[in-house]
Amino acid sequence: MAETANIAKMAERLSKELFDVFGWQQTGPMNSNWACNNKDHGVKTHPADAVWYYDEPYSNQRTYILADLKSYQKTTIKPKNIQEAIVNLSMAMACTESSNDWKSRFIVDSTRPSQVNGLLFVYNHDGEYDENFGQLLKGVQAADVRFIPCNRSLIVLGPKDICELNAIVTHIKTLGSSGRAQNGLQTSFLFPELKLKKRTLPEGDPWDNAAPLPYLISKIIAVKARKTGSTNPYDDLHIYYRGLGKT
């Protein structure tokens, strides 16, 4: 049992290391159960392995991430396990819409416009998974995600995604932690002004940006850096490319 518990905590520790650097804030207790208020779900409670939040770079909205953290060895990364986890997480997402128990545990500011998205974090703790994880998701049917609320997202990070994000975080740490000064440098994520989407962070601090979840699965992640005390927009720009090296 002790070994199983330690394996489960691997995903917990790694996710915290990653999302701290990406500027997410943890809220509420980890590994807690909160009351289900939908009899169609057939359960009394839903789990919350972890909940993070960040402010969107192009709106005044705060996004909460309800995370299911999985730590699997290669032989247990199977379609049935992934499908079951997606169904359970989608039901939990639906309950956050109206659950007072959820809101009292995890919502930081009830006056702030917010949304809840889901994250299935699938970490391969033995490092031996080398198959196409995306193929597992092709078996997910519409019925499996029918509970996801309208205009909400459930994103799955597979073993390769996590490995690549970990490599990016390792390099960012050599520059400086997100939004904070380290090694004489301050770093943050670059979100340029767009014609149709103007940056509207309430605090207005362009050096206090978090990296939204959809940004982490994009092909390009841009990190700006400047020397402590510099008034330049940025002194250096680091581009991390997660696509294939093809033209």
Side-chain angles (χ1 to χ4, degrees):
M1 291 296 292
E3 182 179 1
T4 301
N6 288 334
I7 289 174
K9 285 189 175 296
M10 288 181 182
E12 182 179 312
R13 287 194 297 267
L14 179 58
S15 63
K16 188 176 186 307
E17 290 175 8
L18 295 181
F19 301 136
D20 278 356
V21 172
F22 289 130
W24 297 13
Q25 303 294 319
Q26 188 183 332
T27 178
M30 297 190 74
N31 302 309
S32 65
N33 295 315
W34 46 281
C36 172
N37 57 3
N38 188 327
K39 63 181 181 180
D40 293 337
H41 293 171
V43 296
K44 293 183 178 180
T45 61
H46 292 294
D49 289 348
V51 176
W52 285 277
Y53 71 90
Y54 53 78
D55 295 330
E56 293 289 342
Y58 292 111
S59 75
N60 193 35
Q61 193 167 56
R62 176 163 287 170
T63 294
Y64 291 85
I65 301 296
L66 172 59
D68 184 1
L69 308 176
K70 302 296 188 187
S71 185
Y72 289 148
Q73 64 183 32
K74 176 180 179 178
T75 57
T76 55
I77 302 179
K78 300 296 183 183
K80 181 180 178 181
N81 292 339
I82 302 303
Q83 182 181 15
E84 182 179 292
I86 288 174
V87 171
N88 291 337
L89 183 54
S90 69
M91 290 192 294
M93 289 173 62
C95 268
T96 65
E97 298 271 287
S98 57
S99 171
N100 290 328
D101 191 11
W102 155 269
K103 293 174 183 177
S104 65
R105 289 173 186 241
F106 301 108
I107 296 298
V108 175
D109 181 358
S110 60
T111 65
R112 182 79 173 270
S114 64
Q115 63 179 356
V116 180
N117 290 331
L119 168 63
L120 177 57
F121 185 94
V122 183
Y123 173 60
N124 173 218
H125 67 78
D126 60 19
E128 295 183 359
Y129 189 82
D130 56 0
E131 300 176 27
N132 187 344
F133 182 79
Q135 291 295 321
L136 299 185
L137 301 180
K138 290 185 177 181
V140 177
Q141 304 297 317
D144 298 329
V145 294
R146 68 187 183 278
F147 294 108
I148 297 178
C150 211
N151 299 320
R152 299 291 180 264
S153 301
L154 191 164
I155 290 178
V156 181
L157 291 180
K160 183 181 178 182
D161 296 311
I162 294 170
C163 182
E164 291 176 348
L165 291 176
N166 189 43
I168 291 172
V169 162
T170 298
H171 185 260
I172 291 175
K173 284 181 176 179
T174 68
L175 306 174
S177 299
S178 177
R180 297 182 296 276
Q182 180 174 301
N183 300 330
L185 288 175
Q186 186 180 23
T187 63
S188 190
F189 299 93
L190 179 66
F191 297 100
E193 298 283 0
L194 302 179
K195 288 184 178 180
L196 298 180
K197 288 187 177 181
K198 186 176 177 63
R199 295 184 68 258
T200 55
L201 278 176
E203 296 80 4
D205 184 356
W207 289 87
D208 193 25
N209 291 332
L213 180 53
Y215 189 61
L216 300 185
I217 61 172
S218 64
K219 289 185 177 180
I220 293 177
I221 295 176
V223 174
K224 58 185 179 180
R226 68 179 179 183
K227 296 177 182 177
T228 303
S230 172
T231 58
N232 295 330
Y234 53 81
D235 295 327
D236 294 296
L237 186 62
H238 300 265
I239 305 296
Y240 304 95
Y241 180 66
R242 296 185 58 232
L244 298 176
K246 297 180 179 180
T247 58

